Amino acid sequence: MFAAKVPKGGLTAKSNGKSGTPDPASRSDKETDSSSLVPSLLARGSISLSNSSDSGNSLGPILDTVDGDGRSTAGLGDNGTIDGVSIYSKNKHTLVAYIGPLPKEVDEALSKTDYYTEPMVSKLDLNAGLGIVVSQKKCYIWAAQKSATYRSPPMCITLPMPPNSLQSPDTSVLLPAVTITKSDDQHAGILACSPDGTCWYWNNIDLSLSNVNQHADIKINLLQGDYVSYVECAGPMGYYFGTRYGNVYQIWIKKQFGSITLTSTQLPGKSIGAIASIFSLIGRPQGPDTSQRLTSMTSGPRPHDPHGQWDLYAMTRMTLSRWHVTRSGECVLGNEIPLRDQITERILRDYSATLTPGTDPRVFLLDIEYTRNGRIVVLVSFFAVDEKWAHSPLSCALFTLSTHFGSAIDIESVKYIHRPIEEDNRPEARPKLVIPHGGPGVFIVLPRSVIISSTLPNSDFEDHVPLKSDRFIGYGNEEWKQRGQEIRESSELSIVCKESGRLGIHIYLDGAGSPLHSATDDSRTPQELLTAQLQAKLEQAVFFGGNRRNPISFDLAHYDGGDLNLASLNVSKEILNSHSTLLNSNKDLTARLQERYRRIRSIIESIQAAEMASRLSIDTRFQLSWSAEKLAAANTLWIQYQQKMGGKNTNKLSRANLKGVIDDAAARSLEILGTQTKEDPVSFFLKYHVDSLAELLFQLQRAAKKLTLVSAGQQAELTKDTNKILVLSLRSAWTYRKQNTESYALKSSSSVEPWTATEGVIRSLTAQYSATLAICQANPEENIGMDVDSREGADDVSYFSSELKDQLCDLADAALQAHSERLQYLEGLPSTSENNIAIAAAVDAYDRAKSDLLTPLVELKMTQSAMQLSQRYKDFITLVKLCIDDEQLITSYLSKYQQEFANALFQWYYDNDQPSVLLEIGEKYSDLFTVYLDSRDYNDLAWLHDIKIKRYFMASQRVQDGAVLEMNVDRRRTMFSLSKLLFFAGVPQQQQHQQLLQYQQQQLQVEDDAADPEGLKKYIGRNNEELEMATIQAVVADDWESQVGALASIDEQARAIVDTFESPVLAEQPMLREALLRSARSLLNRETLSSEDLLDLLMSQQKFEIQNVDVCEVALGICHQAADIPESRRPHVLQDIWRRIFISDSEIWLLEDFTDEEIRERLMNSWMCRAYAVIYKAEGQKDEWVLRPEDARCTMPAAMFKERFMSIGLLEGDYQKSLNKGISSQSNVDKNCEAMIRDYERENEELEFQIQDGQLVEKWALVKEIVREELARAGETSSLGGQEDVEMEENFA
C-alpha cells in the first residue's frame, strides 16, 4: 500500500471533441476529423494517432506504429508530434504509452534501492503539476504536466523528510505519509508526516525553492506503539492522517500575517483507538488486534447534500467506519459495520461450487475508493478453493457498496476479476485500487502489473498490463471530486515505473461513458473468451513487442486456456487483409504492404518468445508461414508492377497492355470473391484480399491469354512482363518459406493444401510456359526469333529472345516446384482410396510435367538449365538423356545420386534394347545393378547378373519364374532344366539352405519359423513337376511330328493325330473332338498346354506308352501334382482319367468265355492293370487316387464346365456367325456348354454299359488281385515300368 496515498482521480483533462471511434462499417480512405478519433489522453499530445482509416473492417482508431527505421511520426493537432515507438500497447479497449522519463536524481536513487528494506513510492498530482518520489529520508519533486509529453529528464528538487524516531523492526522500513497540497492561491505545497507523527509543511513549492529547511512543523501525539500510515486529501475538508490502530487526525494549515502554522485534531469516537489506549496502558503496544489494523482510507462529497459535506471512510482488516466532515471542521462519527464478514458471506454464496459452507476463504480487505455516483468500491482478495497451498491462485473482486447503511451495508454488485493476483510481501506492495474521475474505469495497480476493469455491473470488460521485469512504484490522476459533474467522463491513469519512467494508460469510452467493445451479454464460452483475450494480447505483442524500450510484457502464457491456433490464425488473417485496427492506414500501398509483411512475420517470433510454439499444430505453422509468404509475394508483385508502370524505357503501349491485364485479373478475382469496388482493383485487392493471392496469379495468366494484340512483338513483350511478375512473386514466397523453415518448424507436410501448389497455380504456370515456349519456337522472321549461341554483342531482339528463354527455365522451375509441393501435401494425407487415387494422379502429372517442361529446354539448347532443373527435381530420366554420351558425367552422377540415377540409367539402356551395354555397366556398378534388378521383373537379364555375382539360387528362381510364363514347350523345358542346374551349380549345401531361407522370406513371404525343409521341398517339387510337364509335352509333340511329318499344315497334322485316337466314343463327341483338335494344334505349334488339356489328349488317344513313357503314370502324376488344376476340379479330373481307363477296351468280352490264363493275360495287358500298378507301388496314401468303376462317372457341375472351357474360348464357337444370325454371345455359350456336357454324358453311358454288360466290376476286382500277386512275386516294380526322378528330393529329405 502506498504510504503516501494519492488523491483519487485520473490523468484526464477536458477534450476538444467527443471521445469515440470511427464507424466499424466504414471503408473510406477519406480523412476523418481527429477529434472524433483521438481520446483525451492522446488529444493532449501524449500519444500519437493517425487521423484516417482505409480499413474496411476498422474496429477502432488507427494509430501510427513503429516502422523499421523508427522514424514514423503522426500529428497531434496543436500539441506537437510523437514517434510511434511511444505506443507500448493498444487494443480495442485500452492504450498504454510512454509519456516521459523521470529525473536523473530519481533514476539514480531508484536504481540503488532495496524494496525489502528501503522502499520508495511515487505519486503524481496532475492538477498541481507535480510529481514526487518518496523515500525514508528524501522527497524528490519535479514538474509533471498533464498536457504534454517529453523526452528529456525533468529537473527536480529534493526535500528532507521528517525524522522517524520509531526504530522497531516493523517500523524501520515505514515511509513518511506525503501529499501535495493546494491552497486558494493555486500554489502547491508538500505536507509530510513521519511514522512517529512529526509533520513538516513546505508552502509554495517550485523548482526554484532554495531553502528546503524552511518549513512549518507539528507533532501529532500518538499512542504508544501507534504510527502514521496513511494520508487522505478530502478536498476542501482538509488532510487526514490515519494510524496503525485506526486513529484519524485532521491537519489544518493556517496562514496568518504571512506565517503558516499547523494544527492537528483527532477525530472523535473511533472505538479501536480507545481500545488501543487501554492495551497500551497495560503494556501491549501491538494494539488490540492485528485484524483491526487500518488498510485504506477514502473520501468524497456526499451525494445531493445541500451543505456540501463530505464522507470520510476508514477501512480496517475487519470493519468499515465513516465520518461526516464539513468545511468548518466539524466531524461526526457515523456507523461502523463488520464489512469483512458480509463480504465473506457473499463470496461463500457465489463460490458454493468450489467452497464448502463454513470454509474460510481468507478474505483480505485491500483498498477502498469513492466513485462518481456516490458509491464506494472495495477491492478484496480471497482464495476460491478449499485447499490452500503455497502456489494456490489468489482471486480478487470489486464490491460496490451503497453509502446509505446502518448496522449492515448493501452490496449492490460484485465483479469477480478473472485474472488471479500475486502476493508480494515487500513493504508498500499491497494492490491499490484507483478509479479515475470516479469511474467507470477501474485500475488495480499491482507491483508488476495493472488489471483494468469497470465499475459498470453488467460489463465484462477486463484487461491486463503486465511488466517484463520493471516495477510500478506510483501513480496519479486528475483530481475530480471538487468539480463533481463538471468534468467529462474519462478513464486515464498516469503511472510511474522504477526503470521505464512515466507511462499513461487510457481506456476507450463510448458516448455513454462505457468502455468500448465491452459486451453486457456475452454468450461466448470461457474458452472462447480466453481465446479472444489471447488473440488481443498476441496482436499487441506483434505490433509493440519488438520495441526494446517497451517494458510491457506480452506473455501469452497468461491465457493458457485459449486456443493459440485459432488466435494466431485470426491475427494473421486480420493483418493479411488489412483488417487489424493497429495497422497504419495513412501510408501509400507500398509502405502498407511492407508494414503488414513485418507485422505478420512477428507473429511466430512473439509466440516463440513466449515459449509457446510447441502448442501450434503443424497446419497452423504452415498457414502462418503461408500468410507471410503471400505478403512477400504481394509486395514483389506490386513493386514489379510499379517499376514497369514508371519505367523510362517502357513504351506507353506496353504499359497500357500490362495495366489492362493486371486490372482485368484483379477485377475478375474480386468478382469471384463477391466484392465490388470503385477503387483501383489492383490496389483494393492488395489491401484487403491478399489471402486470395493465388486466385489473382491464376487470373493474371488468363487475362494475358485473353488479350488479343495486333503485333506479335507486343504479345511477346506482354508475355515477358507477365512471366516476370508471376515467377518473382512465387519465388519470393518460396524463398521466405525456405529461409524460415526452422522458425516455423515445418518438418512435415500439412493437411491443408498449400496455396503455391493449388491446381490453379499449376495450370497458370504450365499455360504461361506453353505461351512462352510458342514464342521461343516462332519463326525468326516474325521479329521474335533468337540466336542463343551469340549473346555478346547481340542486338535487342536476340537479347529479348534470350531473356524469354531464361524465363522459360524459370517457369519450368516454378511449375515443377508446385508439382513437387502438391505431391508432398497429398502424400501426407491419411491413406484412403480417394487420397490414394489423388496421389497416383499427382505422381503421373508430376512425371509428365518433368518431361513436358524440361525436354523443350534441351531442344532450345538450354542444356545447362535443363540439367540443373533435372537435378533439382530429380528428373533422372531427362538427366540420363542429357549425359548418356558423357561417361565422366555419368560417373559423377552415379557417385552423387547413387541408386536414383542408376535406376534411370539402367532403364534407359533396357528401354533402348542395349542389353550387352547394360550388363557391362551393370558389372561395373554391381551393387547398384543388383538393387535395380531386384526391384524389377526383368528375369531375362537378372539371372545372368545373378550368375556373375554367384547368386545361383536367385538365378535359379528367376529362370524358373520366367519358365512358368514361357509358352514354347522346348524353351520351357530348357529353362526348367537350367533352373535345376543353377540350383546345384557349385553352391555348398549350407549356402543353398541359406539362400532357400532368403527366398522363402522374400518371395513366399513366410515367417522365419516357417522356413523349414517342407518349404524347401515345395520349391524343389515345383521345379520337378514343371520340368516333367514340359518334358511330357515335348515328347508327345515329337512323337506326333514323327507320325505326320509329311503333312503340310498344322491343321492337317492335328486332324491326322486326332483321327488315330482310339477312344471308343470319340466319334460321338463332337465338342470334345473340337477341343482335342485345338489342343493338338497348340502342341504341334510347340505351345504349352494346360494340365487338363494335356490329360484330355493323353487319355483320349488310348496309348499305354509314348516313347517309353507310361501314360497312366504320367496322367495320374499330373492330376496329383499339377498346380494349374483348381482344387475344386481336381476330383473331377481324376474321374475323367479313371472313366477313360475303364472304357478304353472297346471289345466287350465276358469272363466265362475264356480260361483263367487267357483272362489273366487279357487283364494284364489292359489300362486298368497298368493304372492300378502305378497306384499300388506308389508311396503314401493310395486309396484316394483309386476309383471304383461306379465312382468314375462324370459329376462335374455345369458351372465348372463353363469355367473350364470358357478359359480356352471353346464355348464361344463361331462368334461372328452367331452375331450374324442374331444369336447373343451368351446364348451361344450356353448352347455349346450343353453340347460339351452331352459329350461327357456319352462317356458315362459307355461306362454304365461296361459295368452292366461287360462285367467291369468283376474284371476290376481281378485286376487288383493280379497286380498284388505279381508285385509280391517279383518284389520289384521294374516289370511294370515307372521311373521317378527323385534326385532333388533325396538330397533334401
Side-chain angles (χ1 to χ4, degrees):
M1 178 69 68
F2 283 129
K5 185 69 175 179
V6 180
K8 312 297 185 179
L11 187 60
T12 61
K14 292 184 179 179
S15 173
N16 294 327
K18 182 180 179 181
S19 175
T21 56
D23 181 4
S26 171
R27 212 168 208 168
S28 173
D29 281 345
K30 298 179 180 180
E31 290 189 358
T32 307
D33 182 11
S34 62
S35 65
S36 67
L37 292 176
V38 185
S40 59
L41 176 67
L42 310 180
R44 290 197 306 272
S46 57
I47 305 296
S48 166
L49 294 183
S50 66
N51 59 359
S52 67
S53 170
D54 67 353
S55 174
N57 293 323
S58 177
L59 298 176
I62 305 300
L63 58 102
D64 187 32
T65 52
V66 185
D67 279 332
D69 55 7
R71 294 175 296 183
S72 176
T73 60
L76 288 171
D78 298 330
N79 294 313
T81 60
I82 185 172
D83 56 57
V85 296
S86 294
I87 301 171
Y88 283 167
S89 172
K90 179 183 182 296
N91 57 31
K92 60 185 179 181
H93 301 302
T94 58
L95 173 70
V96 182
Y98 177 68
I99 296 178
L102 300 179
K104 293 182 178 179
E105 297 87 341
V106 174
D107 273 339
E108 183 178 357
L110 289 173
S111 65
K112 298 177 181 179
T113 189
D114 179 356
Y115 278 88
Y116 285 99
T117 59
E118 299 176 345
M120 298 176 71
V121 296
S122 175
K123 67 168 61 175
L124 300 171
D125 189 329
L126 301 180
N127 294 91
L130 293 179
I132 63 173
V133 169
V134 180
S135 68
Q136 293 170 348
K137 296 182 179 181
K138 293 182 180 181
C139 176
Y140 302 88
I141 307 173
W142 72 94
Q145 300 180 16
K146 64 181 179 182
S147 60
T149 59
Y150 54 93
R151 289 296 174 266
S152 299
M155 297 180 62
C156 79
I157 61 173
T158 304
L159 298 180
M161 289 291 96
N164 180 20
S165 61
L166 304 177
Q167 297 300 322
S168 63
D170 59 341
T171 60
S172 61
V173 296
L174 296 176
L175 292 177
V178 181
T179 186
I180 301 172
T181 68
K182 195 170 186 182
S183 60
D184 294 336
D185 57 5
Q186 302 299 312
H187 289 132
I190 297 294
L191 177 62
C193 184
S194 65
D196 66 359
T198 303
C199 295
W200 290 359
Y201 174 70
W202 291 264
N203 189 39
N204 297 335
I205 293 293
D206 58 36
L207 297 182
S208 63
L209 181 65
S210 58
N211 188 2
V212 296
N213 293 316
Q214 184 177 352
H215 50 75
D217 54 58
I218 192 175
K219 179 68 180 290
I220 301 175
N221 295 319
L222 301 177
L223 300 176
Q224 186 176 356
D226 203 2
Y227 55 81
V228 174
S229 58
Y230 284 87
V231 61
E232 170 66 18
C233 177
M237 308 304 162
Y239 305 93
Y240 297 85
F241 288 98
T243 69
R244 176 190 190 186
Y245 296 144
N247 291 302
V248 179
Y249 297 86
Q250 184 180 28
I251 300 297
W252 289 94
I253 304 174
K254 297 182 178 181
K255 300 180 181 180
Q256 271 185 331
F257 309 111
S259 64
I260 298 174
T261 60
L262 302 179
T263 62
S264 68
T265 304
Q266 182 176 359
L267 268 63
K270 194 70 178 71
S271 60
I272 57 174
I275 296 175
S277 300
I278 296 174
F279 274 80
S280 177
L281 293 175
I282 64 175
R284 295 185 59 183
Q286 277 74 24
D289 187 351
T290 57
S291 66
Q292 289 295 308
R293 289 185 180 180
L294 190 68
T295 58
S296 181
M297 296 174 65
T298 190
S299 63
R302 301 188 68 185
H304 313 295
D305 185 86
H307 304 292
Q309 296 185 67
W310 279 45
D311 285 338
L312 177 67
Y313 296 90
M315 185 174 69
T316 70
R317 294 184 179 182
M318 296 293 292
T319 64
L320 176 65
S321 299
R322 176 175 60 179
W323 290 266
H324 306 303
V325 296
T326 64
R327 187 183 292 266
S328 63
E330 295 181 12
C331 182
V332 178
L333 177 64
N335 305 79
E336 181 181 46
I337 60 170
L339 181 59
R340 183 179 182 274
D341 293 340
Q342 293 189 32
I343 289 178
T344 300
E345 182 180 348
R346 177 62 180 267
I347 290 174
L348 289 173
R349 187 179 70 189
D350 293 345
Y351 278 81
S352 59
T354 57
L355 289 174
T356 306
T359 302
D360 181 10
R362 298 185 187 176
V363 173
F364 292 90
L365 306 181
L366 299 175
D367 204 353
I368 187 170
E369 264 283 22
Y370 195 84
T371 67
R372 184 185 186 123
N373 57 4
R375 305 293 191 272
I376 53 176
V377 177
V378 178
L379 172 66
V380 305
S381 67
F382 62 96
F383 289 99
V385 292
D386 284 341
E387 297 184 3
K388 287 83 174 176
W389 304 95
H391 299 289
S392 295
L394 186 61
S395 302
C396 67
L398 298 173
F399 283 75
T400 301
L401 312 178
S402 171
T403 54
H404 302 288
F405 58 86
S407 59
I409 195 166
D410 180 20
I411 299 177
E412 294 188 348
S413 65
V414 183
K415 179 167 292 185
Y416 293 101
I417 304 300
H418 298 296
R419 183 169 306 280
I421 62 176
E422 296 181 2
E423 287 189 285
D424 191 332
N425 295 320
R426 285 175 285 190
E428 310 299 337
R430 179 173 292 186
K432 282 79 174 178
L433 177 63
V434 188
I435 305 180
H437 284 202
V442 174
F443 298 87
I444 302 172
V445 182
L446 306 169
R448 297 290 302 277
S449 66
V450 175
I451 298 175
I452 308 172
S453 185
S454 162
T455 59
L456 302 177
N458 296 323
S459 173
D460 69 343
F461 167 63
E462 185 176 316
D463 206 349
H464 185 227
V465 181
L467 294 177
K468 295 175 185 175
S469 58
D470 205 348
R471 184 179 182 87
F472 294 127
I473 63 170
Y475 55 88
N477 47 51
E478 187 180 10
E479 193 279 328
W480 63 273
K481 296 176 184 178
Q482 295 187 64
R483 291 185 286 168
Q485 302 297 327
E486 296 178 6
I487 61 172
R488 65 177 180 80
E489 291 181 326
S490 177
S491 289
E492 295 174 355
L493 181 69
S494 187
I495 52 178
V496 178
C497 301
K498 177 177 179 290
E499 299 173 356
S500 305
R502 178 181 164 193
L503 308 182
I505 303 178
H506 173 83
I507 302 176
Y508 293 115
L509 302 179
D510 61 15
S514 300
L516 281 177
H517 310 284
S518 56
T520 58
D521 185 16
D522 200 328
S523 60
R524 291 178 293 180
T525 65
Q527 186 186 24
E528 289 173 339
L529 289 171
L530 282 172
T531 300
Q533 295 170 3
L534 177 61
Q535 178 180 333
K537 187 60 65 174
L538 176 59
E539 186 178 36
Q540 294 174 61
V542 166
F543 279 86
F544 309 112
N547 185 352
R548 288 178 294 178
R549 291 173 47 194
N550 193 340
I552 305 300
S553 170
F554 301 100
D555 188 358
L556 307 180
H558 286 297
Y559 307 91
D560 189 58
D563 186 342
L564 181 61
N565 291 284
L566 179 59
S568 59
L569 291 177
N570 286 344
V571 173
S572 172
K573 188 173 182 179
E574 289 184 357
I575 296 174
L576 186 63
N577 294 327
S578 298
H579 294 163
S580 173
T581 60
L582 300 180
L583 287 169
N584 189 340
S585 62
N586 195 24
K587 295 181 178 180
D588 61 24
L589 183 57
T590 302
R592 292 173 66 175
L593 283 171
Q594 292 173 352
E595 183 197 3
R596 286 153 62 195
Y597 174 66
R598 290 196 303 273
R599 300 306 185 198
I600 212 162
R601 290 182 62 183
S602 299
I603 295 177
I604 192 65
E605 296 171 1
S606 300
I607 294 174
Q608 288 174 334
E611 298 181 352
M612 296 176 68
S614 60
R615 289 176 51 184
L616 293 175
S617 68
I618 183 64
D619 285 350
T620 299
R621 294 199 296 269
F622 267 103
Q623 290 178 82
L624 291 176
S625 175
W626 294 341
S627 294
E629 294 168 20
K630 289 175 182 178
L631 279 172
N635 191 45
T636 301
L637 185 151
W638 178 248
I639 290 175
Q640 293 299 319
Y641 176 57
Q642 291 297 99
Q643 287 178 351
K644 182 67 178 180
M645 292 297 99
K648 296 181 180 179
N649 298 327
T650 306
N651 61 61
K652 293 183 179 179
L653 187 57
S654 296
R655 290 199 297 268
N657 291 336
L658 181 60
K659 186 178 188 313
V661 166
I662 292 187
D663 284 350
D664 183 38
R668 177 57 181 159
S669 299
L670 292 173
E671 181 182 347
I672 292 174
L673 295 172
T675 302
Q676 296 180 350
T677 179
K678 295 181 180 179
E679 296 184 29
D680 171 46
V682 180
S683 299
F684 190 83
F685 185 94
L686 295 179
K687 286 179 185 176
Y688 304 114
H689 296 284
V690 174
D691 192 31
S692 302
L693 186 63
E695 181 64 35
L696 177 63
L697 297 180
F698 177 60
Q699 295 300 332
L700 176 63
Q701 186 278 323
R702 295 189 65 181
K705 183 179 180 181
K706 286 193 304 182
L707 187 62
T708 304
L709 302 175
V710 176
S711 167
Q714 294 176 26
Q715 185 67 56
E717 180 73 22
L718 176 61
T719 300
K720 179 178 74 73
D721 294 337
T722 306
N723 290 345
K724 190 173 184 180
I725 291 175
L726 194 62
V727 169
L728 290 181
S729 298
L730 289 171
R731 186 170 291 170
S732 297
W734 282 319
T735 300
Y736 179 86
R737 191 183 310 170
K738 181 179 180 181
Q739 293 175 347
N740 294 277
T741 296
E742 185 175 349
S743 297
Y744 290 93
L746 306 178
K747 302 300 182 183
S748 57
S749 61
S750 169
S751 62
V752 182
E753 183 181 41
W755 76 278
T756 52
T758 61
E759 293 183 352
V761 169
I762 293 175
R763 285 199 302 270
S764 62
L765 289 169
T766 305
Q768 198 63 23
Y769 176 93
S770 299
T772 308
L773 178 62
I775 297 173
C776 293
Q777 293 175 337
N779 192 324
E781 294 180 359
E782 297 182 20
N783 232 13
I784 51 175
M786 51 202 73
D787 179 12
V788 296
D789 294 327
S790 177
R791 290 196 178 187
E792 294 184 3
D795 56 19
D796 292 341
V797 172
S798 64
Y799 176 78
F800 178 80
S801 302
S802 299
E803 189 175 3
L804 273 179
K805 284 187 175 182
D806 291 338
Q807 288 185 347
L808 193 68
C809 297
D810 293 336
L811 287 167
D813 186 6
L816 291 177
Q817 172 71 19
H819 272 288
S820 173
E821 216 173 285
R822 182 166 186 80
L823 180 58
Q824 183 182 7
Y825 150 69
L826 291 172
E827 289 176 341
L829 296 178
S831 180
T832 63
S833 58
E834 182 179 355
N835 290 341
N836 292 338
I837 293 172
I839 291 173
V843 170
D844 181 62
Y846 190 20
D847 291 339
R848 282 188 283 104
K850 291 176 183 178
S851 176
D852 295 345
L853 297 176
L854 298 182
T855 301
L857 300 183
V858 180
E859 297 171 356
L860 292 173
K861 302 188 184 302
M862 304 294 289
T863 306
Q864 191 64 30
S865 296
M867 294 183 74
Q868 291 175 355
L869 293 176
S870 298
Q871 294 181 67
R872 183 176 304 164
Y873 297 104
K874 297 188 176 182
D875 180 17
F876 298 112
I877 296 176
T878 301
L879 195 60
V880 166
K881 293 177 182 178
L882 293 173
C883 68
I884 194 64
D885 297 325
D886 191 329
E887 186 176 349
Q888 185 176 358
L889 270 180
I890 290 176
T891 302
S892 173
Y893 290 146
L894 281 170
S895 175
K896 183 176 182 179
Y897 298 111
Q898 293 292 310
Q899 197 64 51
E900 292 178 304
F901 181 79
N903 289 344
L905 178 66
F906 299 147
Q907 192 65 42
W908 188 91
Y909 286 122
Y910 186 87
D911 293 341
N912 287 273
D913 197 22
Q914 298 186 30
S916 59
V917 180
L918 179 56
L919 288 171
E920 181 180 349
I921 195 171
E923 185 175 4
K924 184 177 181 181
Y925 301 99
S926 179
D927 292 342
L928 298 175
F929 194 43
T930 300
V931 175
Y932 165 78
L933 291 175
D934 287 348
S935 62
R936 287 161 175 78
D937 190 19
Y938 293 165
N939 291 331
D940 53 339
L941 286 176
W943 70 277
L944 293 171
H945 179 68
D946 287 334
I947 292 175
K948 285 186 178 181
I949 61 175
K950 298 183 180 181
R951 287 201 312 183
Y952 295 110
F953 176 75
M954 293 302 296
S956 171
Q957 175 60 34
R958 294 184 193 277
V959 173
Q960 185 184 104
D961 292 344
V964 171
L965 302 175
E966 178 58 55
M967 296 306 298
N968 183 274
V969 169
D970 299 314
R971 288 196 294 272
R972 186 183 181 94
R973 180 171 62 169
T974 301
M975 293 174 72
F976 278 116
S977 298
L978 179 60
S979 175
K980 184 175 180 178
L981 291 173
L982 286 171
F983 186 79
F984 294 102
V987 184
Q989 194 80 6
Q990 183 64 26
Q991 188 173 343
Q992 289 181 27
H993 184 68
Q994 293 175 355
Q995 290 188 354
L996 282 170
L997 291 178
Q998 180 184 2
Y999 163 73
Q1000 287 184 319
Q1001 295 167 19
Q1002 295 181 355
Q1003 303 295 330
L1004 298 180
Q1005 297 181 354
V1006 299
E1007 301 295 336
D1008 292 343
D1009 56 0
D1012 52 26
E1014 287 299 321
L1016 305 181
K1017 290 182 68 175
K1018 288 181 181 179
Y1019 169 74
I1020 298 165
R1022 181 191 181 195
N1023 197 90
N1024 278 342
E1025 292 161 10
E1026 295 290 352
L1027 178 58
E1028 290 172 3
M1029 279 285 296
T1031 300
I1032 291 168
Q1033 295 188 50
V1035 167
V1036 173
D1038 291 342
D1039 180 65
W1040 288 354
E1041 288 176 352
S1042 65
Q1043 297 179 37
V1044 294
L1047 297 177
S1049 69
I1050 294 297
D1051 284 341
E1052 292 175 345
Q1053 294 176 9
R1055 292 185 182 279
I1057 290 298
V1058 172
D1059 288 342
T1060 65
F1061 288 2
E1062 298 179 0
S1063 171
V1065 294
L1066 185 58
E1068 304 173 33
Q1069 297 173 292
M1071 286 301 296
L1072 180 60
R1073 180 180 176 83
E1074 180 62 27
L1076 294 174
L1077 281 172
R1078 289 193 178 198
S1079 299
R1081 281 195 293 269
S1082 297
L1083 196 56
L1084 288 169
N1085 275 324
R1086 317 301 287 191
E1087 296 176 2
T1088 301
L1089 298 179
S1090 70
S1091 298
E1092 291 172 280
D1093 291 343
L1094 179 60
L1095 288 175
D1096 284 343
L1097 288 174
L1098 292 177
M1099 301 310 296
S1100 296
Q1101 70 177 353
Q1102 301 284 295
K1103 288 186 177 181
F1104 293 167
E1105 293 183 352
I1106 299 177
Q1107 294 189 8
N1108 299 322
V1109 175
D1110 190 302
V1111 174
C1112 282
E1113 182 179 357
V1114 168
L1116 290 169
I1118 292 173
C1119 179
H1120 176 59
Q1121 298 175 345
D1124 63 337
I1125 300 177
E1127 291 301 322
S1128 60
R1129 293 209 302 263
R1130 200 179 297 276
H1132 300 292
V1133 173
L1134 185 63
Q1135 287 178 338
D1136 293 343
I1137 293 173
W1138 281 106
R1139 185 174 62 255
R1140 287 163 183 168
I1141 289 174
F1142 288 140
I1143 67 174
S1144 62
D1145 192 351
S1146 59
E1147 180 184 355
I1148 300 299
W1149 58 278
L1150 301 176
L1151 296 174
E1152 57 266 24
D1153 294 337
F1154 297 91
T1155 65
D1156 291 344
E1157 291 298 327
E1158 291 174 335
I1159 292 172
R1160 186 181 186 89
E1161 182 179 355
R1162 277 178 173 266
L1163 290 177
M1164 289 187 64
N1165 291 325
S1166 70
W1167 246 11
M1168 288 190 295
C1169 188
R1170 299 180 70 93
Y1172 188 71
V1174 170
I1175 297 299
Y1176 191 77
K1177 71 178 182 178
E1179 297 180 359
Q1181 182 58 256
K1182 305 175 183 180
D1183 294 341
E1184 64 183 15
W1185 294 106
V1186 179
L1187 295 182
R1188 299 177 303 170
E1190 55 270 30
D1191 296 331
R1193 297 183 182 91
C1194 179
T1195 61
M1196 187 162 64
M1200 287 190 181
F1201 271 104
K1202 188 178 294 187
E1203 179 186 80
R1204 180 194 163 189
F1205 291 105
M1206 278 285 289
S1207 63
I1208 60 174
L1210 178 65
L1211 297 185
E1212 285 86 344
D1214 195 334
Y1215 179 69
Q1216 190 58 48
K1217 288 182 179 180
S1218 299
L1219 292 179
N1220 293 338
K1221 293 179 181 181
I1223 303 174
S1224 68
S1225 175
Q1226 185 60 42
S1227 299
N1228 197 53
V1229 168
D1230 294 339
K1231 180 180 177 182
N1232 290 337
C1233 183
E1234 292 172 359
M1236 182 63 77
I1237 292 174
R1238 286 196 298 272
D1239 287 353
Y1240 274 74
E1241 288 177 346
R1242 179 67 190 87
E1243 292 182 2
N1244 284 348
E1245 294 170 359
E1246 179 65 22
L1247 177 62
E1248 189 63 29
F1249 176 74
Q1250 292 282 4
I1251 293 173
Q1252 297 296 331
D1253 297 339
Q1255 299 178 333
L1256 182 58
V1257 175
E1258 292 82 359
K1259 292 175 182 178
W1260 175 242
L1262 290 173
V1263 164
K1264 292 193 286 184
E1265 184 179 340
I1266 292 171
V1267 169
R1268 293 189 187 100
E1269 291 176 357
E1270 289 294 324
L1271 291 179
R1273 183 169 58 250
E1276 58 183 16
T1277 61
S1278 58
S1279 62
L1280 296 176
Q1283 300 293 325
E1284 289 188 305
D1285 183 357
V1286 295
E1287 178 181 7
M1288 294 175 74
E1289 290 89 342
E1290 291 174 351
N1291 283 324
F1292 288 94

